[in-house]
């Protein structure tokens, strides 16, 4: 089972994008029970964590996106968002989302969505 990630594109440095991901088959109670995270993988680099939103609503960010990115979830729509502001060329990567519980990822990694930030 794979998640679908959307919202990537080409943007100039300083611009904004909003990503979202969904599993159209997930039931609400299961969606709400998971922690969700956004990850990214730049060319030639390993996949890295960007932000996490826990099932009790805490938001956690890696230092390189603090103050610029915001993760959120809409439990009613079963969507997870990543609002990205003040984008930098080094934010260029394929962005993925995944869910986890008990320290284990729930989904196989999908295709992600490509974000390209031009200088």
């Amino acid at each position: 089972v794979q998640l679908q990630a959307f919202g990537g594109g080409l943007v100039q440095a300083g611009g904004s994008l909003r990503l979202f991901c969904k599993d159209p088959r997930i039931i609400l109670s299961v969606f709400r029970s998971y922690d969700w995270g956004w990850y990214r993988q730049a060319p030639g680099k390993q996949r890295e964590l960007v932000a996490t939103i826990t099932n009790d609503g805490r938001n956690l960010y890696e230092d390189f996106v603090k103050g610029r990115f915001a993760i959120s979830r809409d439990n009613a729509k079963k969507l997870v968002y990543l609002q990205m502001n003040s984008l930098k060329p080094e934010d260029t990567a394929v962005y993925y989302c995944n869910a986890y519980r008990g320290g284990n990822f729930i989904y196989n990694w999908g295709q992600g969505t490509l974000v390209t930030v031009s200088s």
Side-chain angles (χ1 to χ4, degrees):
V1 177
Q2 291 183 340
L3 289 175
Q4 300 170 332
F6 302 93
L10 174 62
V11 63
Q12 289 187 334
S16 298
L17 284 173
R18 190 189 196 197
L19 310 182
F20 67 98
C21 76
K22 67 178 180 179
D23 171 2
R25 294 175 291 180
I26 195 170
I27 62 174
L28 180 58
S29 61
V30 174
F31 176 87
R32 294 179 69 171
S33 73
Y34 290 156
D35 296 338
W36 292 86
W38 282 95
Y39 297 76
R40 69 185 186 186
Q41 187 168 18
K45 295 186 177 181
Q46 291 188 334
R47 186 178 291 127
E48 61 183 358
L49 176 65
V50 174
T52 301
I53 185 165
T54 65
N55 61 6
D56 60 356
R58 290 175 294 130
N59 296 350
L60 307 169
Y61 300 97
E62 295 302 299
D63 286 345
F64 52 80
V65 300
K66 281 183 179 177
R68 300 190 298 124
F69 290 12
I71 188 171
S72 60
R73 59 196 292 168
D74 185 328
N75 286 333
K77 295 181 180 178
K78 298 178 288 184
L79 296 175
V80 183
Y81 299 97
L82 185 68
Q83 178 67 43
M84 306 187 296
N85 300 324
S86 301
L87 281 161
K88 304 175 181 180
E90 51 263 44
D91 294 319
T92 294
V94 178
Y95 284 73
Y96 305 85
C97 66
N98 212 324
Y100 32 90
R101 185 167 60 191
N104 297 312
F105 288 113
I106 302 300
Y107 295 92
N108 297 320
W109 295 100
Q111 292 185 335
T113 186
L114 177 62
V115 172
T116 303
V117 184
S118 62
S119 57

